[in-house]
Amino acid sequence: MKYNIALVRGDGIGPEIVDSAVRVLDKIADIYGHEFIYSSYLAGGAAIDEFGVPLPQETIDGCLASDSVLLGAVGGPKWDDQPPANRPERAILGLRAALGLFTNLRPAKIFPALANACTLRPDIAARGFDLVIVRELTGGIYFGERGRREGANGPEAYDTECYSVMEIERIAKVAFETAMKRRKSVVSIDKANVLESSRLWRETVERIAKDFPEVSLEHMYVDNAAMQLVRDPSHFDVVLTSNIFGDILSDEASQITGSIGMLASSSLGSTSRGLYEPIHGSAPDITGKGIANPIATILSAAMMLRFSFGLNVEADAIENAVNQTLNDGIRSADIAVNGQPTVGTAEMTDEILARL
């Protein structure tokens, strides 16, 4: 099979970790007889430097012409003085919109070999957990009406949380379909005791649930969910939530795994084309030092094989190779504890390649 992959390396450690993922994809292509054709495009700070904007039309067109997109990371202090509409992070929002990506899938699991790096109590970490957060990406307060006005107490600002039935229906279907491939459990997160938008959210999710009788549905207020994630993350399988709640809870879930450098994510729409990226940032403090952990980006590439290309065996091979590398005690600096020896970006990639 032949696949066209758009590479958006971005800023900071982005180029380093994307190149590691490409090495792994090339090995997969060699083993399984595929052909991956790469085209590189600029976004974020690198695009600002070159074109004056974070997301050039050339990048949008190239990503739309691809079968899927692999993104590194964008941003850094170099571009902090950019106006809000021209900050590097706007590139990610722009790509999601241009590609019609309304779903963010963010797995959070604890690798048994990294249990001692987990920030939770040892007895909680020992139970293990493997959950995925299904976050709505293109609606809610981040995209609602906003502005400033004169209020009863003087100048004030406002942002509007707004969801349509259609937006809730399509993200709920993704969550239930995902649960059917896992442990058949969905926890829907809202604030229906306060917010009218959450009441519509809950009503709609309950209606969609009737189409998936094998999947159990539980509702949970967002404040309680935040507590339960650190109290007993093993309770969760598929977490369905809105844009702003998902933004917060997915970062919390990433932290309890032990390292943000281990977690992949995908943004998907109504077609097979997706945007795959690690959840960590551009890490300008370690850029060029060759010590960045490439695993999150490598696992993002595995998600691309699974969700966009339907190559489940190949995705399993990458995930198993990562697991074995960790089980064999190989550690990058961010996941090492108690004086363990560490390897750099290239060395970690070599170790994973050796186990494919």
Side-chain angles (χ1 to χ4, degrees), residues 16-90:
E16 303 168 51
I17 54 179
V18 168
D19 287 347
S20 285
V22 166
R23 292 180 61 199
V24 172
L25 287 172
D26 285 342
K27 182 69 176 288
I28 287 291
D30 183 56
I31 295 172
Y32 294 95
H34 303 305
E35 183 179 1
F36 298 127
I37 302 170
Y38 308 106
S39 300
S40 296
Y41 301 97
L42 295 179
I48 293 173
D49 290 346
E50 183 72 19
F51 300 105
V53 294
L55 185 61
Q57 188 62 43
E58 174 186 322
T59 298
I60 295 173
D61 294 342
C63 290
L64 284 170
S66 71
D67 294 312
S68 221
V69 182
L70 184 63
L71 172 69
V74 299
K78 178 181 178 181
W79 303 281
D80 281 349
D81 60 349
Q82 289 289 320
N86 207 55
R87 289 185 62 85
E89 295 79 9
R90 300 297 298 181

Side-chain angles (χ1 to χ4, degrees), residues 50-306:
E50 183 72 19
F51 300 105
V53 294
L55 185 61
Q57 188 62 43
E58 174 186 322
T59 298
I60 295 173
D61 294 342
C63 290
L64 284 170
S66 71
D67 294 312
S68 221
V69 182
L70 184 63
L71 172 69
V74 299
K78 178 181 178 181
W79 303 281
D80 281 349
D81 60 349
Q82 289 289 320
N86 207 55
R87 289 185 62 85
E89 295 79 9
R90 300 297 298 181
I92 298 176
L93 296 176
L95 276 175
R96 289 172 179 167
L99 299 176
L101 308 176
F102 59 85
T103 300
N104 181 238
L105 295 181
R106 187 176 289 192
K109 63 182 289 185
I110 188 163
F111 290 84
L114 298 181
N116 58 352
C118 178
T119 54
L120 301 177
R121 285 200 329 251
D123 61 309
I124 297 176
R127 295 177 208 158
F129 58 88
D130 180 357
L131 62 93
V132 59
I133 294 177
V134 179
R135 169 191 172 192
E136 202 286 324
L137 267 186
T138 58
I141 199 167
Y142 293 163
F143 291 86
E145 182 181 346
R146 68 192 62 192
R148 299 193 180 194
R149 61 193 175 195
E150 193 66 29
N153 299 306
E156 63 184 22
Y158 64 93
D159 298 273
T160 307
E161 171 81 355
C162 182
Y163 269 108
S164 68
V165 170
M166 179 276 291
E167 289 172 316
I168 303 169
E169 284 178 340
R170 66 183 183 182
I171 194 68
K173 288 176 182 177
V174 172
F176 284 102
E177 289 167 356
T178 302
M180 286 293 293
K181 301 173 186 176
R182 292 173 53 92
R183 302 194 301 276
K184 299 182 179 179
S185 171
V186 170
V187 177
S188 179
I189 310 298
D190 59 39
K191 193 62 176 171
N193 58 335
V194 176
L195 302 177
E196 189 62 31
S197 58
S198 281
R199 284 188 275 274
L200 179 64
W201 180 281
R202 184 172 293 207
E203 293 166 11
T204 307
V205 170
E206 288 180 346
R207 178 165 49 79
I208 296 299
K210 294 176 182 177
D211 296 331
F212 299 88
E214 295 179 58
V215 179
S216 67
L217 170 64
E218 176 184 358
H219 298 289
M220 192 176 289
Y221 295 144
V222 63
D223 43 356
N224 183 35
M227 291 188 290
Q228 298 303 324
L229 266 176
V230 294
R231 178 180 176 273
D232 183 16
S234 66
H235 175 78
F236 298 94
D237 177 22
V238 174
V239 176
L240 165 63
T241 190
S242 65
N243 205 341
I244 187 170
F245 293 160
D247 190 5
I248 296 165
L249 292 176
S250 58
D251 281 354
E252 181 187 13
S254 70
Q255 188 58 42
I256 62 176
T257 63
S259 172
I260 200 171
M262 294 293 299
L263 300 181
S265 77
S266 63
S267 298
L268 305 170
S270 56
T271 69
S272 61
R273 185 196 302 109
L275 173 67
Y276 298 86
E277 59 180 313
I279 71 167
H280 58 70
S282 61
D285 56 319
I286 61 170
T287 298
K289 296 182 179 180
I291 60 174
N293 184 353
I295 289 179
T297 314
I298 291 170
L299 292 176
S300 296
M303 290 185 76
M304 179 175 65
L305 297 183
R306 188 182 306 282

